[in-house]
Amino acid sequence: MVHAGFLGLGIYLPQKKLTNFELEKMVDTTDEWIRSRTGIVERRIAAPGEKTSELATHAGREALKDAGLDAKSIDLIIVATISPDSNFPSVACKVQKNLGATRAIAFDISAACSGFLYALTTAKQYVLSGMAQNALVIAAEKISTLIDWKDRSTCVLFGDGAGACVIGPVKKDGIIADYMLAYGDQGDLMRVDVEGSRSPFDPDKEQFGKLPFVVMQGKELFKVAVNSMAEAVEAVLAKANLSKKDVDWVVPHQANDRIISAVAKKLEIPKEKIFVNIDKYGNMSAASISVALYEAVKSGAIKKGQTVVLVAFGAGLVAGANVVKW
Ligand code: ACO
């Protein structure tokens, strides 16, 4: 029987660090407010000309190297992003070109902060069905382009970055369970409206959002985040026939350290088993879990044979979890 697992990992983080102290000079906020409400100390910001596809390409290249594979051996590229360079072509097609992965089919997935898990789960199905041998899954965001840098309630939360992995056939274990969900009826809690239609045939163009920036209802999202992530962890463990005691590590989406603590408490999983790196990067949307997973593995925290739960929620609203036997 074929199993799908991780063959290699990579990340790319833009050089520029934006600290809370620098934000104090940009908006009416304080380091103390940001740290105590979110756990964030600093975040990375891509250079003005640096594109999401470039962040994605760097991370993808490292994952290929880590897997010991040539770009020509990749037959599927999926990029999870909500901040693509352009509406089309897709970021995945640009990565295909940049890497010279000429045999790969390529497409993007839009599932906000759950994007990496949605992409991972999709790639797994390609590998299990035999439609792909080696899949490159990348989560990349230049979310700084979607932020109103005068809005203190959102601009302190986010950062740019990318993470990648190669998913391919493994002899046993790998990604052993998946649980994905969507609550489309709660989409208004966080969104970026596209600019009003410029078509002369659209009489209602004034109704569209004027500015393509993130708007969100933070308090409401907080509750939904805690409940949906806890639900996803319970459900995915049930699918894997595992109990919470079997879990060695949880790698959650990094939106707010208080959300992460509340999920741990609700699930009665010790916080020491939850990997947190939000202090360094803020919320990188789809890229958050991929970068956290990389750091957890490369630092030696996650060890071979351990049971790892990945869990996310994001705008859509979308949520999900995977169990990986590392
Ligand atoms: N600095 C100082 N004060 C601020 C700031 C800031 N950066 N931002 C808001 N405030 C003020 C507010 O104006 C408010 O002032 P008021 O009481 O005078 O009206 C006060 O601080 C409290 O604001 P709250 O919104 O009540 O603060 P809360 O404790 O809820 O924390 C936060 C806000 C951090 C946004 C929290 O609600 C949260 O993390 N929510 C979830 C957000 C999230 O996860 N978003 C992304 C999800 S989807 C995805 O990741 C793609």
Side-chain angles (χ1 to χ4, degrees), residues 142-154:
K142 188 179 175 182
I143 203 124
S144 56
T145 57
L146 300 177
I147 300 302
D148 178 354
W149 288 97
K150 294 192 190 78
D151 176 7
R152 69 175 183 174
S153 69
T154 52

Side-chain angles (χ1 to χ4, degrees), residues 244-291:
K244 283 179 260 182
K245 289 205 172 58
D246 299 315
V247 175
D248 295 296
W249 281 104
V250 177
V251 182
H253 173 52
Q254 314 275 318
N256 183 326
D257 192 40
R258 286 191 298 140
I259 293 178
I260 294 170
S261 297
V263 173
K265 193 170 168 208
K266 199 170 166 82
L267 288 168
E268 296 175 337
I269 292 179
K271 186 89 189 283
E272 303 75 61
K273 288 187 169 189
I274 319 264
F275 193 83
V276 179
N277 65 355
I278 190 171
D279 52 323
K280 294 189 286 180
Y281 307 121
N283 179 350
M284 296 184 287
S285 183
S288 278
I289 292 182
S290 57
V291 171

Side-chain angles (χ1 to χ4, degrees), residues 29 33 37 113 152 190 216 218-219 253 255-256 258 283:
T29 191
W33 192 97
R37 298 293 175 122
C113 309
R152 69 175 183 174
M190 181 171 174
M216 69 171 203
K219 269 196 193 315
H253 173 52
N256 183 326
R258 286 191 298 140
N283 179 350

Side-chain angles (χ1 to χ4, degrees), residues 199-277:
S199 163
F201 308 107
D202 188 347
D204 292 331
K205 64 179 176 183
E206 292 308 319
Q207 77 178 333
F208 289 98
K210 297 271 188 308
L211 294 170
F213 293 139
V214 167
V215 287
M216 69 171 203
Q217 297 173 39
K219 269 196 193 315
E220 284 310 308
L221 267 174
F222 195 110
K223 285 179 228 151
V224 181
V226 174
N227 290 334
S228 61
M229 289 212 285
E231 178 192 339
V233 171
E234 300 266 14
V236 83
L237 286 175
K239 280 181 91 172
N241 272 325
L242 293 172
S243 82
K244 283 179 260 182
K245 289 205 172 58
D246 299 315
V247 175
D248 295 296
W249 281 104
V250 177
V251 182
H253 173 52
Q254 314 275 318
N256 183 326
D257 192 40
R258 286 191 298 140
I259 293 178
I260 294 170
S261 297
V263 173
K265 193 170 168 208
K266 199 170 166 82
L267 288 168
E268 296 175 337
I269 292 179
K271 186 89 189 283
E272 303 75 61
K273 288 187 169 189
I274 319 264
F275 193 83
V276 179
N277 65 355

Side-chain angles (χ1 to χ4, degrees), residues 21-319:
F21 294 109
E22 288 172 88
L23 277 166
E24 284 182 353
K25 295 180 198 136
M26 295 166 63
V27 288
D28 181 14
T29 191
T30 60
D31 171 60
E32 199 283 318
W33 192 97
I34 303 170
R35 273 179 204 249
S36 61
R37 298 293 175 122
T38 70
I40 301 166
V41 176
E42 60 186 30
R43 66 291 287 144
R44 302 297 179 96
I45 303 293
E50 201 170 26
K51 298 187 169 86
T52 303
S53 58
E54 291 165 359
L55 311 187
T57 301
H58 291 309
R61 191 171 283 126
E62 189 189 352
L64 284 178
K65 196 169 168 221
D66 195 42
L69 289 173
D70 182 70
K72 302 260 183 314
S73 61
I74 295 294
D75 38 24
L76 169 67
I77 298 173
I78 308 179
V79 176
T81 186
I82 50 167
S83 49
D85 310 357
S86 49
N87 284 349
F88 62 86
S90 66
V91 174
C93 279
K94 292 179 186 181
V95 170
Q96 191 236 26
K97 174 182 160 231
N98 293 348
L99 293 176
T102 46
R103 289 184 50 249
I105 63 160
F107 58 89
D108 290 355
I109 279 186
S110 171
C113 309
S114 299
F116 182 60
L117 302 193
Y118 268 56
L120 203 60
T121 306
T122 307
K124 173 185 159 181
Q125 302 312 323
Y126 271 82
V127 170
L128 292 185
S129 69
M131 277 182 74
Q133 180 78 9
N134 295 309
L136 181 59
V137 174
I138 305 174
E141 302 284 15
K142 188 179 175 182
I143 203 124
S144 56
T145 57
L146 300 177
I147 300 302
D148 178 354
W149 288 97
K150 294 192 190 78
D151 176 7
R152 69 175 183 174
S153 69
T154 52
C155 77
V156 302
L157 302 175
F158 297 95
D160 300 332
C165 60
V166 179
I167 300 298
V170 290
K171 287 200 182 86
K172 61 177 188 139
D173 298 332
I175 306 167
I176 58 176
D178 327 278
Y179 180 80
M180 300 291 130
L181 21 112
Y183 313 99
D185 59 335
Q186 295 180 62
D188 274 350
L189 288 182
M190 181 171 174
R191 51 180 218 281
V192 176
D193 293 331
V194 290
E195 251 183 291
S197 165
R198 293 197 183 90
S199 163
F201 308 107
D202 188 347
D204 292 331
K205 64 179 176 183
E206 292 308 319
Q207 77 178 333
F208 289 98
K210 297 271 188 308
L211 294 170
F213 293 139
V214 167
V215 287
M216 69 171 203
Q217 297 173 39
K219 269 196 193 315
E220 284 310 308
L221 267 174
F222 195 110
K223 285 179 228 151
V224 181
V226 174
N227 290 334
S228 61
M229 289 212 285
E231 178 192 339
V233 171
E234 300 266 14
V236 83
L237 286 175
K239 280 181 91 172
N241 272 325
L242 293 172
S243 82
K244 283 179 260 182
K245 289 205 172 58
D246 299 315
V247 175
D248 295 296
W249 281 104
V250 177
V251 182
H253 173 52
Q254 314 275 318
N256 183 326
D257 192 40
R258 286 191 298 140
I259 293 178
I260 294 170
S261 297
V263 173
K265 193 170 168 208
K266 199 170 166 82
L267 288 168
E268 296 175 337
I269 292 179
K271 186 89 189 283
E272 303 75 61
K273 288 187 169 189
I274 319 264
F275 193 83
V276 179
N277 65 355
I278 190 171
D279 52 323
K280 294 189 286 180
Y281 307 121
N283 179 350
M284 296 184 287
S285 183
S288 278
I289 292 182
S290 57
V291 171
L293 180 63
Y294 177 97
E295 292 196 339
V297 171
K298 299 296 178 186
S299 68
I302 292 180
K303 296 179 179 57
K304 204 167 164 32
Q306 286 192 324
T307 299
V308 181
V309 177
L310 312 176
V311 59
F313 84 99
L317 295 174
V318 278

